[in-house]
Amino acid sequence: MNVSKPMMDTQLQAQLFLADQRGCSQFDYFRSYHCFSFGQYVDEHKLPFGALQVLNDDTLTAGNRIRMQVESTTDVVILPIVGGLEYKSSLGDGFLEAGQAQLFSLASSMDYEIINPYETDLINFIQIWLTNNSSDFTPGLRQTRFDLSDKNKLLPAFSINENALRSRGFIGKFDGREDGIYKLENPETNGVFVFVLNGVFEVQDRLLHERDGLSLMNVQEPAVEFEALSNDAILLLLEIPLHRK
């Protein structure tokens, strides 16, 4: 495991999280890559990015399951990438497939379970944890859908309100040489974290390959510019509160 310090650019306040420098937790039935410190993996240079505490890239083998528990009030977003998955929680059970996002709004000590329902196939999914200190937080479930065949645009994947702040997630599939601009909803308090699910992108003049991440603070425009450098490239973009009001 390479835990060297991520590449920094203080002028633009950008930090690269390269795929081959992520932390890793691995068992015979489950493997998890961590963009940030998580569980037994601790790196002082990979602290949470504002409300974004966890972005894990997980693979679960056929017929197995994992149980996750949050320590504080947390919004958890699950995004299937390869295959579908079953989930169970005290809030409800269901099935999730590619093109859907499941949001668990969990109070402290609540948990959920992810299950691979297939007999022979592994599944791959993204887990995102966002702190939520809203004064009117209520546990619950919410599911959204998006159609990646609607290409060359960012599609809404989730939206989470916390008092006067909001976390938003977008996903999009792009043809090679297609570009885009994302304008921040609240540039004074928010930053952007991008994660490449497939292919290659250039984001704010940074080259990102598959499963690379990039955090951006104090975007000047305020907008984030990106361009796909390969066909069927898939980008996940998160606008995240960095400062509490």
Side-chain angles (χ1 to χ4, degrees):
M1 182 188 302
N2 188 336
V3 293
S4 61
K5 184 175 180 179
M7 298 173 63
M8 297 288 294
D9 185 327
T10 55
Q11 182 179 359
L12 296 179
Q13 300 196 34
Q15 180 173 344
L16 276 169
F17 295 79
L18 300 179
D20 61 0
Q21 293 183 0
R22 294 178 295 175
C24 183
S25 301
Q26 186 159 347
F27 307 92
D28 57 354
Y29 64 95
F30 177 65
R31 182 184 66 200
S32 180
Y33 288 111
H34 320 307
C35 285
F36 307 103
S37 295
F38 182 81
Q40 299 300 310
Y41 169 69
V42 178
D43 185 332
E44 62 181 1
H45 304 301
K46 296 181 179 179
L47 300 175
F49 182 64
L52 178 60
Q53 303 292 302
V54 172
L55 197 156
N56 287 350
D57 176 5
D58 295 342
T59 300
L60 184 63
T61 58
N64 285 296
R65 62 184 63 201
I66 58 164
R67 182 180 295 274
M68 309 293 293
Q69 184 179 60
V70 300
E71 296 181 354
S72 59
T73 304
T74 303
D75 291 301
V76 176
V77 181
I78 305 295
L79 282 169
I81 305 301
V82 177
L85 58 86
E86 294 179 1
Y87 62 85
K88 294 182 181 295
S89 74
S90 60
L91 300 172
D93 308 335
F95 182 83
L96 198 64
E97 59 187 355
Q100 297 177 312
Q102 180 66 50
L103 172 65
F104 299 87
S105 294
L106 303 175
S108 176
S109 299
M110 294 182 72
D111 60 19
Y112 62 95
E113 196 170 39
I114 302 294
I115 303 157
N116 183 338
Y118 302 111
E119 295 183 359
T120 58
D121 297 332
L122 56 77
I123 60 174
N124 175 228
F125 54 97
I126 302 296
Q127 293 196 75
I128 299 167
W129 291 14
L130 299 146
T131 57
N132 190 329
N133 297 318
S134 177
S135 57
D136 59 354
F137 178 88
T138 302
L141 291 177
R142 188 165 74 250
Q143 190 174 110
T144 59
R145 294 177 177 269
F146 47 87
D147 183 4
L148 288 180
S149 66
D150 186 9
K151 298 174 71 173
N152 302 320
K153 64 179 70 173
L154 289 174
L155 307 170
F158 68 85
S159 178
I160 301 166
N161 292 320
E162 180 191 351
N163 297 327
L165 303 177
R166 181 159 68 143
S167 297
R168 300 200 297 170
F170 300 85
I171 190 170
K173 179 184 283 189
F174 294 83
D175 294 321
R177 296 301 176 182
E178 288 288 336
D179 56 20
I181 297 176
Y182 175 77
K183 294 184 178 181
L184 278 72
E185 179 183 54
N186 195 337
E188 293 184 358
T189 59
N190 294 357
V192 169
F193 192 90
V194 297
F195 187 75
V196 177
L197 293 170
N198 188 62
V200 183
F201 282 87
E202 185 177 272
V203 182
Q204 294 294 95
D205 299 320
R206 269 68 174 179
L207 183 64
L208 300 179
H209 292 87
E210 187 167 323
R211 308 303 164 110
D212 286 346
L214 174 68
S215 66
L216 299 165
M217 295 176 59
N218 295 335
V219 181
Q220 297 300 312
E221 293 297 333
V224 176
E225 298 180 351
F226 59 89
E227 180 183 5
L229 302 182
S230 60
N231 287 323
D232 294 329
I234 302 176
L235 186 71
L236 179 65
L237 185 148
L238 312 176
E239 181 175 349
I240 303 296
L242 301 178
H243 310 294
R244 303 298 180 189
K245 289 189 175 180

